[in-house]
Amino acid sequence: DIDNVGRKYHLKLVLEDIVEKDNIVNCTAEILYHLDNTNAAPDVHFEIEGELKNTEEQDNIFYNRIKSLKKELAAQNIPDSHGNMPPEMEPIRLLAQAAAGYVVWQNSTENTRYELAQIKHVRQLKRSDDYLEFDYMVLLHEFVSQEIIPWQMTVLWHPQHGVKVTQNSRQPKHAEH
Amino acid sequence: DQVLRATAGDEAQLALLRALGEQEELQVDFWRGPTKPGHPTDLRVPFRNLQAIKSFLEANDIPYSVMIEDVQELLNEEKRTMRLSRRLERSMDTFDFSSYHTIEEIYDWMEQLAAEHPSLVTRLQIGESYEKRPLYVLKFSTGGAGRPAIWLDTGIHSREWITQATGVWTANKLATEYGKDPAITAILDNMDIFFEIVTNPDGFAYTQSTNRMWRKTRSLNAGSSCVGVDPNRNWDAGFGGPGSSGNPCSETYRGAYAHSESEVSSIVDFILQHGNVKAVISIHSYSQMLMYPYGYKTEPAPDHAELDALAAKAVQDLAAVHGTQYVYGSIVDTIYQAAGTTVDWAYDNGIKYSYTFELRDTGRYGFLLPASHIVPTATETWPALLDIMEHVLEHPY
């Protein structure tokens, strides 16, 4: 506890690559949750032991595939009710996971635990520059309240410039339909 | 290959179309031959000759359209649906444990299981849901009268699909392993098992028809447009306390009063009337946890040490199967404070061995766990369940 500031946590954790299970990286982090009266996101500082996997090749393959589509990408229910998803949607889901990570961070307190439950729909927005842009409507599952919260995210991505969430907003409960 | 529809405007064009059919190297196959001017002619054209034939039609001013863009795709689709329907026929004899099923399929399968193991399994009805669906329980018994019993339930939160699926696999395992596996044989020779697989059928039906993420029952709430009560906050154990909501629109709404939900009161009545239930195991997802009371208060349960040691063993045996890591402890310490839960009620009513599982995964798929996880999840949970049941057998009270 830090008087008048908030509560700080020191964490030692292991990062595991979802795609390549053997790829693990040690990490230490410091999280500071601010006192209740501010709506600020928690402060996060971290250090990684070693390096994260280089994904340049897969990033470029995905980037070129989307760039060469005749029509802008649009999809619903990823994964579907049975947990299935066409394999070509995997990068779209991973991108949503990364973007949702930002949204979750911005909205986390000591009493929340958010998980990305599903992508309700995603559509690609046309751009005149090199970036890929996607408008996502996702469902976040908040553990403590057990609520399923629809959330809109506008996501920019480029293989060399990474992910950026340019817009995001919590939606009313029935908005996902 | 494509199928084109061409319409000859006069006799001359008709003759041209007929001639197309005579030219062997073009391999044109009439699905509907040229008959009269003004009537459509349908021709299947191999891919390699498409351009030539289209040019020919255009050059001769014969209007045409593409009726079927890709014949192969249609053939593939047809093959797929035929395979699917053959599988459906076979499934009357061999139920597919590695896929998710509808209520009707599960209820039918339960009836079949009882029919196939008449001296061991009976399907009982303990009540009705809000929308009047039967609440079925499978009774596993080798005889006796009112033997000490173990209660198992899955699917109380309808969106947790891995639980109903694990329930089906486990019930099947109990029926088929009796007489073969010494542990399960010893248990069933001395105790009865009551297993409710679809504990919240209205919610389950709703997840299939309308909203995959539905958790609660489907009861109407007076004075509110919001539907449903959280059946795992509706039990009379710390009812109304923190960790449950008084708002009907909330996912953890406790209900107007304890046991307001028929899905809950049916179990309460059944267990109290039975009078000899020694364990209650309520199965949820997700998070990979094994927990014991309390959820409604932080004060440790009197049997905390024993329950903790048994949980440690169960979790270790679970991990040994596929390496899946579980955490364990009391509900309030491990997950969150929750009032009015099944296991707290069971414990406060003298049922010492009260446990709740949270099955796979830890959030990557969450509720939408792919069907490929069903058998591995059920397989790894089995030794953990056995550990608990064996302990109950060896520690009568």
Side-chain angles (χ1 to χ4, degrees):
Chain A
D1 273 315
I2 303 176
D3 279 342
N4 296 324
V5 177
R7 190 175 280 151
K8 192 180 252 194
Y9 291 82
H10 298 270
L11 301 175
K12 237 201 250 182
L13 52 144
V14 176
L15 301 180
E16 182 192 80
D17 186 336
I18 289 181
V19 179
E20 227 175 89
K21 292 288 165 95
D22 300 332
N23 181 17
I24 51 181
V25 172
N26 289 325
C27 177
T28 53
E30 258 174 32
I31 318 286
L32 172 62
Y33 286 103
H34 298 279
L35 281 179
D36 270 336
N37 44 30
T38 62
N39 275 324
D43 288 343
V44 177
H45 294 281
F46 66 92
E47 258 168 48
I48 299 182
E49 226 177 88
E51 273 174 17
L52 295 178
K53 184 173 85 175
N54 181 306
T55 56
E56 214 178 294
E57 198 187 326
Q58 298 101 305
D59 288 349
N60 284 321
I61 292 173
F62 170 60
Y63 180 75
N64 290 323
R65 175 162 67 86
I66 303 295
K67 273 290 185 187
S68 65
L69 290 176
K70 286 182 225 133
K71 247 182 3 188
E72 279 76 40
L73 181 143
Q76 285 97 253
N77 291 331
I78 297 167
D80 66 18
S81 284
H82 292 226
N84 297 321
M85 150 181 82
E88 61 268 20
M89 282 298 148
E90 175 77 357
I92 295 287
R93 188 184 141 81
L94 292 173
L95 182 61
Q97 200 93 52
Y102 170 78
V103 171
V104 166
W105 166 38
Q106 293 299 299
N107 290 276
S108 286
T109 69
E110 281 170 281
N111 297 307
T112 60
R113 171 189 163 187
Y114 288 98
E115 302 285 350
L116 172 63
Q118 191 184 35
I119 299 167
K120 282 311 280 182
H121 52 83
V122 54
R123 65 191 175 102
Q124 184 186 358
L125 303 172
K126 216 165 173 167
R127 281 191 78 88
S128 49
D129 62 16
D130 271 348
Y131 280 83
L132 297 184
E133 187 174 9
F134 298 94
D135 177 32
Y136 282 94
M137 179 69 76
V138 299
L139 296 179
L140 296 183
H141 172 219
E142 200 288 296
F143 233 83
V144 179
S145 64
Q146 286 294 327
E147 296 294 335
I148 301 286
I149 309 166
W151 212 289
Q152 181 276 334
M153 316 187 291
T154 308
V155 183
L156 231 49
W157 181 73
H158 185 281
Q160 270 91 60
H161 304 303
V163 186
K164 196 179 166 111
V165 177
T166 54
Q167 201 183 305
N168 79 88
S169 57
R170 187 190 176 116
Q171 301 296 304
K173 217 168 168 181
H174 299 288
E176 81 261 25
H177 290 300
Chain B
D1 294 4
Q2 288 191 346
V3 176
L4 306 177
R5 172 163 285 182
T7 312
D10 57 8
E11 285 295 343
Q13 288 190 336
L14 205 63
L16 285 173
L17 286 178
R18 286 203 193 96
L20 263 187
E22 320 269 70
Q23 289 185 263
E24 257 202 76
E25 73 276 12
L26 287 179
Q27 302 235 283
V28 163
D29 170 28
F30 288 119
W31 282 16
R32 192 212 291 249
T35 49
K36 286 212 291 247
H39 284 226
T41 298
D42 296 339
L43 18 19
R44 183 179 62 82
V45 180
F47 183 80
R48 66 183 172 284
N49 296 325
L50 258 181
Q51 210 35 66
I53 291 181
K54 283 180 176 172
S55 306
F56 174 82
L57 293 172
E58 283 158 23
N60 287 284
D61 275 322
I62 300 175
Y64 73 92
S65 58
V66 178
M67 237 177 67
I68 298 175
E69 264 206 295
D70 187 347
V71 178
Q72 188 57 50
E73 236 192 288
L74 280 188
L75 293 175
N76 292 344
E77 178 60 58
E78 192 181 60
K79 210 157 122 198
R80 198 187 66 88
T81 45
M82 284 174 69
R83 228 184 302 132
L84 231 50
S85 72
R86 277 200 303 275
R87 263 226 323 247
L88 213 59
E89 285 165 344
R90 279 205 309 267
S91 78
M92 290 311 192
D93 310 309
T94 39
F95 191 85
D96 184 2
F97 293 102
S98 58
S99 63
Y100 292 112
H101 291 276
T102 62
I103 295 194
E104 294 74 34
E105 287 167 358
I106 295 177
Y107 280 5
D108 284 346
W109 173 82
M110 286 168 81
E111 209 175 4
Q112 220 183 301
L113 188 76
E116 281 169 23
H117 303 270
S119 51
L120 180 65
V121 187
T122 352
R123 190 183 72 167
L124 307 170
Q125 183 171 346
I126 63 166
E128 274 183 345
S129 69
Y130 184 82
E131 289 173 351
K132 304 274 174 275
R133 290 184 173 82
L135 299 172
Y136 287 133
V137 168
L138 288 174
K139 175 182 180 180
F140 295 82
S141 178
T142 58
R147 282 180 177 170
I150 296 166
W151 169 274
L152 288 156
D153 65 70
T154 52
I156 200 171
H157 285 145
S158 39
R159 63 190 179 199
E160 298 165 8
W161 279 20
I162 187 60
T163 70
Q164 298 94 334
T166 294
V168 169
W169 184 96
T170 305
N172 184 67
K173 184 83 167 169
L174 286 169
T176 54
E177 287 296 297
Y178 173 73
K180 300 193 186 114
D181 175 297
I184 207 56
T185 306
I187 290 163
L188 284 172
D189 277 344
N190 295 285
M191 303 182 72
D192 293 342
I193 296 174
F194 293 96
F195 203 157
E196 188 175 9
I197 295 175
V198 188
T199 307
N200 178 5
D202 296 349
F204 192 47
Y206 200 69
T207 60
Q208 307 210 328
S209 65
T210 313
N211 181 354
R212 176 62 177 82
M213 298 293 177
W214 192 261
R215 167 186 168 89
K216 303 187 285 182
T217 61
R218 291 292 302 163
S219 57
L220 296 178
N221 292 308
S224 173
S225 57
C226 290
V227 175
V229 167
D230 184 343
N232 201 28
R233 299 290 185 279
N234 187 240
W235 300 73
D236 194 8
F239 180 83
S244 68
S245 170
N247 180 353
C249 298
S250 165
E251 294 280 32
T252 55
Y253 176 51
R254 63 180 75 105
Y257 52 90
H259 307 173
S260 61
E261 304 309 283
S262 60
E263 293 83 352
V264 170
S265 64
S266 300
I267 302 174
V268 170
D269 292 345
F270 180 82
I271 290 179
L272 292 180
Q273 260 161 41
H274 184 280
N276 210 15
V277 173
K278 297 301 179 189
V280 163
I281 303 173
S282 191
I283 299 175
H284 291 252
S285 78
Y286 59 90
S287 268
Q288 293 173 199
M289 295 170 175
L290 176 54
M291 296 172 284
Y292 48 83
Y294 286 108
Y296 74 86
K297 56 184 174 181
T298 54
E299 181 193 314
D303 302 289
H304 167 273
E306 183 187 358
L307 294 174
D308 194 79
L310 178 54
K313 179 179 201 302
V315 149
Q316 190 175 49
D317 289 342
L318 188 153
V321 182
H322 294 300
T324 306
Q325 300 300 314
Y326 267 55
V327 292
Y328 63 95
S330 69
I331 296 169
V332 71
D333 286 343
T334 311
I335 194 168
Y336 41 53
Q337 186 171 24
T341 64
T342 310
V343 294
D344 282 359
W345 174 85
Y347 190 76
D348 277 353
N349 277 272
I351 300 170
K352 188 180 0 170
Y353 300 109
S354 294
Y355 282 96
T356 180
F357 278 81
E358 292 278 355
L359 301 181
R360 290 193 193 182
D361 62 4
T362 54
R364 184 184 177 195
Y365 287 101
F367 301 121
L368 305 184
L369 198 64
S372 56
H373 281 253
I374 296 174
V375 175
T377 301
T379 311
E380 71 194 4
T381 310
W382 174 249
L385 289 173
L386 267 188
D387 281 340
I388 296 171
M389 295 195 289
E390 276 181 301
H391 188 95
V392 176
L393 177 67
E394 287 156 15
H395 297 82
Y397 64 96

